[in-house]
Amino acid sequence: MANADSSATELTVKQGEPTLVLPAEETPNGLYFLNNLDQNIAVIVRTCYCFKSDSKGNEDAAEVVKNALSKLLVQCYPLAGRLTISSAGKLIVNCTGEGAVFVEAEASFGIEDIGDLTKPDPLILGKLVYEIPGAQHILQIPPLVVQVTKFKCGAFVIGMSMNHCMLDGLAAMEFMNSWGETARGLPLKVRPVLDRTILKSRDPPKIEFPHPEFDEIEDVSNTNKLYEEEMLYRYFCFGPEKLEQLKKIAMQDKVLNKCTTFEALSAFVWRARCEALGMQPDQQTKLLFAVDGRSRFEPPLPEGFFGNGIVLTYSLSKAGELLTNPLSFAVGLVQNAVSMVTDSYMRSAIDYFEITRARPSLAATMVITTWYRLSFHTIDFGWGEPIFSGPVALPEKEVILFLSHGTQRKNINVLLGLPASAMKIFEQLMEI
């Protein structure tokens, strides 16, 4: 367990004037279609990638990163456009070629002053990502905003702000690796496939499954009152032994035939959060998480699919049932949520949005975002692989992040925020 609330006021970052990085060659213009999986997650995701080489300083880091971005935007040109609203009232990209926003910055401190890079302080990381001044909503924020910050010790950080409607985690990882390959003058291992119409809704739309992931849940436990307290953010590290122990606990009553790390950890954290928030036994609670649909669609999505290939799935339970039953009960719910994600289920979810325009409700809900399966650690701009990579902060209070941790990447860091009194209980429940 680690604190993520330390003061960062004495560490300053001086940002230069923002410029625009245009594609190196002329690119197609016009409107670029975003499908219904893109529409549902139009939130800004801020990430940082920290590089330090023993043999190379950071003097030309910004120039290398900038030039490579300009070249890559020729193939990934929607990122050089601007979001707007289509005639159908949905998000769409106007491919204007205006370019990505780019800012150079200098830190008054060394990378070591950030502290433990496996548990970075969100307040410090927030200074490494440029925010568009005065932006009131996502249409006023370009799809891609980049800040390169040089540190006194020779390290540099690429701080990135991107709208999730443009890319999901896997596509973002491929984009970052392609950016690094371009910087090193290498051909792209994975070429982007820009056509998103392969996931357009059917005509006429056909809802074949119930979709309670969109339903509002009544907060009978009055947890909103708790959220008036100070919010605390904490990391909890689960090493291989602890993860193995969790799986054994989940399977000890012999109800389950198998159990993955994700299923055991998700179920464990879901139960603990319900208990920490003091949910009433009859409180309906929901777990939401994304399943990668790339291999589950029929036919599968092409390699390099440039967009969102993830579909939200759900588990529902009364808090009392979660907490009075063994861990295997919650794990079983998670397993069912994974197994129901078929081609027809995903097409039904796409069509459900087409008809209802509903957004998933987050009342009495926990949302898990999984990063530990993504290869962000392989990105290389010529300074070697990053010594740290990860998100800057949690986008919503209901979101929990699973991050890889350690040189072997066998540990999982769980990052979440809770009201102070609930966090105290949650910390105790993490001791197994």
Side-chain angles (χ1 to χ4, degrees):
M1 187 269 291
N3 191 333
D5 318 295
S6 61
S7 170
T9 48
E10 67 282 1
L11 303 175
T12 59
V13 173
K14 187 180 178 185
Q15 295 172 325
E17 285 298 311
T19 58
L20 290 170
V21 178
L22 278 60
E25 301 166 23
E26 195 170 338
T27 53
N29 53 23
L31 296 175
Y32 175 73
F33 173 77
L34 298 179
N35 65 51
N36 288 349
L37 298 182
D38 303 319
Q39 305 292 329
N40 253 336
I41 41 180
V43 295
I44 302 298
V45 178
R46 298 182 300 155
T47 49
C48 279
Y49 309 87
C50 179
F51 301 89
K52 188 177 182 185
S53 167
D54 294 333
S55 59
K56 193 173 177 182
N58 62 12
E59 298 78 22
D60 61 346
E63 202 59 31
V64 168
V65 170
K66 188 178 188 177
N67 289 340
L69 177 59
S70 178
K71 290 174 186 170
L72 187 57
L73 285 176
V74 175
Q75 295 185 64
C76 303
Y77 63 85
L79 288 172
R82 295 295 181 263
L83 287 168
T84 186
I85 301 295
S86 72
S87 56
K90 293 200 276 188
L91 281 172
I92 197 164
V93 181
N94 187 7
C95 295
T96 57
E98 284 175 65
V101 175
F102 191 88
V103 173
E104 294 184 43
E106 291 200 6
S108 66
F109 49 97
I111 202 73
E112 66 280 355
D113 295 317
I114 289 180
D116 186 351
L117 282 173
T118 64
K119 305 174 182 71
D121 185 338
L123 289 175
I124 296 175
L125 292 189
K127 299 180 180 189
L128 307 180
V129 181
Y130 183 72
E131 293 196 16
I132 302 297
Q136 300 292 312
H137 51 76
I138 58 168
L139 297 183
Q140 296 174 342
I141 302 172
L144 178 60
V145 178
V146 177
Q147 176 177 319
V148 175
T149 306
K150 296 185 207 174
F151 289 79
K152 291 194 176 300
C153 59
F156 70 95
V157 167
I158 298 174
M160 194 164 78
S161 162
M162 185 187 286
N163 196 308
H164 205 316
C165 72
M166 300 304 293
L167 302 175
D168 63 13
L170 186 61
M173 178 199 77
E174 289 172 349
F175 173 78
M176 290 301 296
N177 277 290
S178 294
W179 192 356
E181 288 157 7
T182 305
R184 288 180 288 141
L186 301 175
L188 302 189
K189 282 183 188 159
V190 180
R191 299 190 77 80
V193 177
L194 268 60
D195 180 17
R196 302 192 190 202
T197 61
I198 50 178
L199 292 183
K200 67 177 184 288
S201 59
R202 294 170 289 196
D203 188 14
K206 191 164 76 172
I207 300 173
E208 301 169 90
F209 293 84
H211 290 281
E213 66 267 35
F214 296 96
D215 293 348
E216 190 75 34
I217 296 175
E218 188 185 351
D219 182 19
V220 296
S221 308
N222 198 21
T223 55
N224 275 338
K225 183 77 180 160
L226 269 182
Y227 280 99
E228 293 172 9
E229 295 177 18
E230 179 195 3
M231 283 288 285
L232 298 182
Y233 294 89
R234 297 283 187 269
Y235 289 87
F236 298 88
C237 183
F238 288 78
E241 301 81 12
K242 202 168 177 180
L243 292 167
E244 207 51 47
Q245 191 185 348
L246 263 186
K247 288 197 268 186
K248 278 183 185 163
I249 294 169
M251 295 185 69
Q252 67 189 8
D253 58 2
K254 299 190 168 40
V255 171
L256 305 171
N257 297 319
K258 60 182 183 355
C259 174
T260 67
T261 295
F262 172 78
E263 291 160 358
L265 188 57
S266 300
F268 178 67
V269 173
W270 186 21
R271 291 171 88 224
R273 185 175 177 275
C274 288
E275 186 171 341
L277 287 170
M279 288 188 181
Q280 300 291 329
D282 62 341
Q283 173 69 63
Q284 184 78 294
T285 176
K286 179 169 58 183
L287 172 67
L288 285 180
F289 58 93
V291 171
D292 183 11
R294 283 167 174 76
S295 63
R296 294 169 183 254
F297 279 108
E298 297 172 9
L301 298 185
E303 186 186 22
F305 178 73
F306 185 84
N308 287 281
I310 54 171
V311 177
L312 279 178
T313 187
Y314 67 91
S315 300
L316 284 170
S317 174
K318 286 199 160 60
E321 290 177 359
L322 269 187
L323 298 175
T324 55
N325 278 299
L327 183 60
S328 60
F329 173 78
V331 171
L333 293 176
V334 175
Q335 289 179 341
N336 291 340
V338 174
S339 63
M340 72 182 179
V341 181
T342 60
D343 178 74
S344 52
Y345 175 83
M346 295 186 290
R347 302 279 178 191
S348 176
I350 290 168
D351 290 358
Y352 184 90
F353 181 85
E354 189 66 24
I355 293 168
T356 65
R357 302 295 168 90
R359 297 275 193 282
S361 166
L362 296 183
T365 297
M366 183 177 105
V367 185
I368 294 175
T369 299
T370 307
W371 277 61
Y372 66 88
R373 297 173 180 150
L374 300 172
S375 302
F376 283 104
H377 60 283
T378 61
I379 302 161
D380 184 356
F381 284 83
W383 281 261
E385 294 178 353
I387 57 173
F388 163 78
S389 64
V392 168
L394 300 171
E396 302 282 352
K397 69 181 189 301
E398 294 84 5
V399 174
I400 290 181
L401 280 168
F402 289 1
L403 305 153
S404 59
H405 164 48
T407 49
Q408 299 296 309
R409 314 192 73 75
K410 289 181 179 171
N411 300 336
I412 296 177
N413 255 348
V414 175
L415 169 62
L416 79 158
L418 282 171
S421 62
M423 184 61 83
K424 194 173 178 182
I425 299 167
F426 189 87
E427 285 170 356
Q428 294 165 353
L429 294 171
M430 290 297 100
E431 304 298 326
I432 56 164

